[in-house]
Amino acid sequence: MHMAQGQEIQLHLQGHPSALMASVLKKDQAGPLPPLQSTSLPQQSVTRMPPSILKRWRWWILVLLNIISVLSGQTVATLLGRFYFDQGGNSLWMATVIQSAGAPLLLPPLLLIPKNSSSVFRPPLHKIAIIYIAFGLVIAGANLMYSYGLLYLPVSTYSLICATQLGFNSIFSYFINKQKFTSLISNSVVLLTFSAALLGVNSDSTGSNIPKGKYPLGFVLTLGASATFSLLVSLTQLVFEKVIKDQTLSWVLEFQMYPSIVSTLVTVIGLFMSGEWKGISEEYEGFKTGKASYVLTLVGTAVSWQVFAVGLIGLISVISSLFANVISTLGLPIVPIFAVILFHDGMNGVKVVAMLIAIWGFLSYIYQHYLDGTKAKKKEEEDGRKDINQVGSLP
């Protein structure tokens, strides 16, 4: 499974209130401010007080851990998903079930995390339950489309098509999250579209166990899955902003676990209704690399997708949906390289050109995010100086 405007969830790096500022605000809540005495710190010393370095480092460590989770989880899960089909697995519903079946693994850390008593707001149960069920149903559909893509496409082609999720997310963020379109973002969307179009006309089905004649279907379904995934990412940001109104780790784990449980239930029903469950024992017995390898492949895929999803939702909650999707797309060059080495996928000239165009589009997006961050940081510093000057001018 497969970011800087006013309404995005941002965690600012600069402009933390100084100790004097916090003291003044606290006194203001308790009652009228007393006159400043001659022993008060001069305004110049207040201006020179640095922001909290510790909070900045904690934020960066959190972001880095989420980035590592997204990149490692996505890469391992995608490769194991293709490995499952390559070694004799042929159940689309089983491949879909394991994409969300690892959700119960999130329950122990969710129970162990101390709840923030200062956060008294919690959305109504019926509202959050409807959101979880709706997300779970959509996730089940997206996972099924991803499974078709992994079955009908070489891994390298599959991962390059998935890069279009960044372009889809830009469009959804414009309408849902009020993301502004700039020339660099437009350039990124156009380049990623061209990259996908090149792969669409290059009906390459090289690689072991790739069904012949299924490339167009695999292409369309993977493209549809990428669009659905991007829609979910933008909607996740909207839910955190408008409904949850919190950014704690417990909410991140909860928002991943409950929709995944719904998705798992739906796909398990699909597994039994399709009749594919009857062939699971045969898959288990006939897996090319052995029975233990079959079990480890399924378990590893399930765990990897949960690692990816938790990291992705973490990035959405502390930064934005667009940044999370950018990091997900950062894994673009990683999977095709491993696919060529492990699965002997063909890497022809069209694929190389498509990869270079997609990387170009990705870098355009990263540069726009850098410009937005620099602009927001400068504005925040100016606002911070204004606040300090106002405090210093109080009688």
Side-chain angles (χ1 to χ4, degrees):
M1 276 185 30
H2 316 259
M3 282 151 202
Q5 67 280 12
Q7 295 184 3
E8 285 184 350
I9 302 173
Q10 300 287 344
L11 191 58
H12 303 303
L13 304 184
Q14 302 290 340
H16 295 284
S18 62
L20 178 61
M21 187 70 163
S23 175
V24 171
L25 293 175
K26 185 175 180 181
K27 290 179 181 179
D28 184 49
Q29 295 172 355
L33 283 170
L36 293 176
Q37 305 297 324
S38 59
T39 56
S40 299
L41 289 173
Q43 181 181 342
Q44 185 178 8
S45 63
V46 175
T47 306
R48 290 180 179 178
M49 294 185 71
S52 174
I53 303 298
L54 181 59
K55 288 184 178 179
R56 292 176 61 185
W57 274 105
R58 285 176 178 173
W59 186 85
W60 276 112
I61 291 172
L62 176 63
V63 171
L64 181 61
L65 289 175
N66 284 324
I67 290 175
I68 293 173
S69 296
V70 169
L71 294 179
S72 60
Q74 177 179 249
T75 302
V76 174
T78 303
L79 292 173
L80 286 177
R82 179 63 246 176
F83 182 79
Y84 166 77
F85 289 119
D86 205 47
Q87 298 302 310
N90 54 19
S91 173
L92 284 166
W93 282 104
M94 174 59 75
T96 305
V97 167
I98 59 176
Q99 291 183 48
S100 55
L105 297 173
L106 303 179
L107 184 59
L110 181 61
L111 296 176
L112 293 174
I113 292 174
K115 299 296 184 291
N116 186 5
S117 57
S118 62
S119 180
V120 295
F121 174 79
R122 186 172 181 87
L125 180 60
H126 70 278
K127 180 183 291 187
I128 202 69
I130 292 173
I131 291 174
Y132 287 158
I133 293 173
F135 268 69
L137 293 174
V138 177
I139 289 171
N143 288 347
L144 182 61
M145 288 189 286
Y146 276 129
S147 298
Y148 271 102
L150 275 174
L151 176 62
Y152 292 156
L153 297 174
V155 183
S156 54
T157 305
Y158 168 86
S159 61
L160 289 172
I161 296 173
C162 287
T164 58
Q165 67 193 34
L166 184 57
F168 284 120
N169 192 218
S170 300
I171 298 171
F172 289 131
S173 293
Y174 175 78
F175 292 103
I176 297 175
N177 309 121
K178 309 303 181 184
Q179 168 74 25
K180 295 181 179 179
F181 258 95
T182 65
S183 58
L184 287 172
I185 291 179
S186 301
N187 180 62
S188 175
V189 173
V190 171
L191 289 173
L192 289 170
T193 303
F194 281 164
S195 174
L198 278 176
L199 294 171
V201 298
N202 177 49
S203 300
D204 176 22
S205 58
T206 59
S208 55
N209 294 341
I210 302 296
K212 301 296 182 182
K214 297 293 185 179
Y215 185 97
L217 180 60
F219 175 84
V220 170
L221 290 175
T222 304
L223 200 63
S226 298
T228 306
F229 171 80
S230 300
L231 176 62
L232 285 171
V233 170
S234 293
L235 290 176
T236 298
Q237 180 182 336
L238 184 67
V239 169
F240 269 91
E241 288 178 348
K242 303 297 183 181
V243 181
I244 296 176
K245 300 178 182 179
D246 202 351
Q247 305 169 10
T248 58
L249 179 58
S250 60
W251 267 116
V252 171
L253 294 177
E254 183 176 325
F255 198 84
Q256 167 58 20
M257 186 178 72
Y258 290 121
S260 293
I261 290 175
V262 174
S263 175
T264 302
L265 292 175
V266 171
T267 51
V268 167
I269 293 173
L271 176 66
F272 281 92
M273 290 185 65
S274 67
E276 290 187 2
W277 64 275
K278 299 176 183 178
I280 293 177
S281 58
E282 184 179 346
E283 276 188 10
Y284 174 73
E285 296 289 340
F287 206 65
K288 294 179 182 178
T289 51
K291 300 176 182 178
S293 177
Y294 179 81
V295 175
L296 290 175
T297 299
L298 296 182
V299 173
T301 305
V303 172
S304 298
W305 278 125
Q306 293 306 307
V307 170
F308 162 78
V310 169
L312 187 79
I313 296 176
L315 289 177
I316 294 171
S317 65
V318 299
I319 304 182
S320 70
S321 62
L322 286 175
F323 183 81
N325 226 330
V326 166
I327 296 302
S328 177
T329 310
L330 182 60
L332 164 69
I334 302 175
V335 176
I337 293 173
F338 279 105
V340 171
I341 297 172
L342 298 176
F343 304 119
H344 308 291
D345 280 4
M347 184 59 73
N348 55 32
V350 174
K351 281 188 181 180
V352 172
V353 172
M355 178 185 291
L356 293 175
I357 292 176
I359 293 175
W360 182 6
F362 166 76
L363 293 177
S364 296
Y365 202 95
I366 284 288
Y367 185 62
Q368 180 62 59
H369 185 77
Y370 166 77
L371 293 178
D372 290 342
T374 303
K375 183 178 179 181
K377 180 179 177 181
K378 185 181 297 184
K379 184 178 184 301
E380 186 182 346
E381 289 176 346
E382 292 175 354
D383 292 342
R385 283 194 293 267
K386 289 179 182 178
D387 292 338
I388 292 175
N389 291 335
Q390 289 176 359
V391 172
S393 62
L394 289 175

